[in-house]
Amino acid sequence: QQPVQSPQAVILREGEDAVINCSSSKALYSVHWYRQKHGEAPVFLMILLKGGEQKGHEKISASFNEKKQQSSLYLTASQLSYSGTYFCGITNNAGNMLTFGGGTRLMVKP
Amino acid sequence: DGGITQSPKYLFRKEGQNVTLSCEQNLNHDAMYWYRQDPGQGLRLIYYSQIVNDFQKGDIAEGYSVSREKKESFPLTVTSAQKNPTAFYLCASSVDRGRIQPQHFGDGTRLSIL
């Protein structure tokens, strides 16, 4: 079943922070985060495997709450280059078949 | 440089015609995937292959077919049975099956109906 992402869209000014959530109705095994610029391929950001784990990638980090079946992506001090659509992909077992959420469109303005 | 090459970038299909989208990778990855993306939507899995000569249906396989005769190649055929083929098609690969690995994507093929 497709995970639910929220919000669907967000507009930020440069330097502001944002949080994107990804919720599943089933138990999570892993959560992947990708960013896609318009008309381009999705680019891998990070994978989270354990409950409560937090990972970071420059000023972008994520948490994985196994109990809540939810992951959150944190973008701090946003830059213009952060604009794009962010997708979470989840797996419910050890395999690598991802089910993607509907995406969150992020726009960072000067 | 290693990567995934999809061709063509743009493709037009006539009514009743089958078309084939190419996907080639030189990453030495075992697993390959085909996704469909509609405007403003997420990615939906069409087919995936975890090893040569083996592939499985994803969530929306009807009207599509694939083959995996070589490790580096995973072509997708959009058949005339697919009544609404207009979409952005993305091919991806990952190191191997059964392990949690990032998926690497090609630049996509945009398919439209003439």
Side-chain angles (χ1 to χ4, degrees):
Chain A
Q1 196 157 355
Q2 186 182 37
V4 176
Q5 287 187 234
S6 63
Q8 287 188 316
V10 59
I11 299 175
L12 298 174
R13 292 283 178 192
E14 242 183 319
E16 290 182 339
D17 302 341
V19 180
I20 299 171
N21 297 306
C22 174
S23 297
S24 172
S25 58
K26 291 185 177 180
L28 292 172
Y29 190 90
S30 72
V31 180
H32 301 219
W33 286 98
Y34 292 81
R35 176 172 62 209
Q36 184 181 31
K37 304 274 185 180
H38 183 69
E40 297 180 8
V43 173
F44 170 75
L45 293 175
M46 65 190 78
I47 293 175
L48 298 101
L49 292 176
K50 295 179 185 177
E53 180 181 6
Q54 191 142 350
K55 288 189 111 175
H57 177 77
E58 297 180 347
K59 292 180 183 174
I60 300 174
S61 62
S63 63
F64 178 13
N65 190 318
E66 203 172 340
K67 222 172 192 178
K68 289 186 178 179
Q69 296 174 182
Q70 178 178 306
S71 176
S72 296
L73 187 72
Y74 306 94
L75 299 101
T76 57
S78 59
Q79 306 168 14
L80 295 176
S81 62
Y82 286 3
S83 293
T85 301
Y86 289 78
F87 292 100
C88 67
I90 63 170
T91 66
N92 300 117
N93 54 44
N96 210 29
M97 300 307 111
L98 289 175
T99 302
F100 283 93
T104 295
R105 192 170 298 180
L106 179 78
M107 184 183 297
V108 181
K109 293 186 172 181
Chain B
D1 269 348
I4 299 179
T5 303
Q6 288 188 242
S7 62
K9 193 165 183 176
Y10 299 95
L11 187 58
F12 297 92
R13 196 193 88 170
K14 294 180 183 177
E15 292 287 339
Q17 186 182 43
N18 293 353
V19 292
T20 297
L21 284 61
S22 170
C23 177
E24 303 276 331
Q25 54 100 358
N26 59 3
L27 298 166
N28 200 33
H29 286 175
D30 282 325
M32 296 186 75
Y33 314 83
W34 273 106
Y35 293 94
R36 170 179 170 141
Q37 187 176 32
D38 292 284
Q41 304 293 316
L43 286 73
R44 291 184 291 167
L45 183 64
I46 305 172
Y47 268 99
Y48 63 97
S49 168
Q50 295 176 321
I51 199 167
V52 174
N53 292 324
D54 187 45
F55 48 83
Q56 285 78 41
K57 292 181 180 180
D59 299 322
I60 56 164
E62 188 173 344
Y64 300 97
S65 66
V66 293
S67 63
R68 186 89 185 275
E69 295 175 3
K70 297 187 295 183
K71 185 174 183 176
E72 57 270 23
S73 178
F74 191 40
L76 173 75
T77 297
V78 184
T79 74
S80 56
Q82 172 50 247
K83 297 305 177 191
N84 184 22
T86 298
F88 188 45
Y89 290 87
L90 286 159
C91 178
S93 69
S94 62
V95 171
D96 60 21
R97 57 184 175 140
R99 286 174 54 194
I100 305 301
Q101 295 287 341
Q103 291 191 9
H104 301 260
F105 287 84
D107 287 335
T109 293
R110 202 168 291 278
L111 176 62
S112 303
I113 293 288
L114 276 179

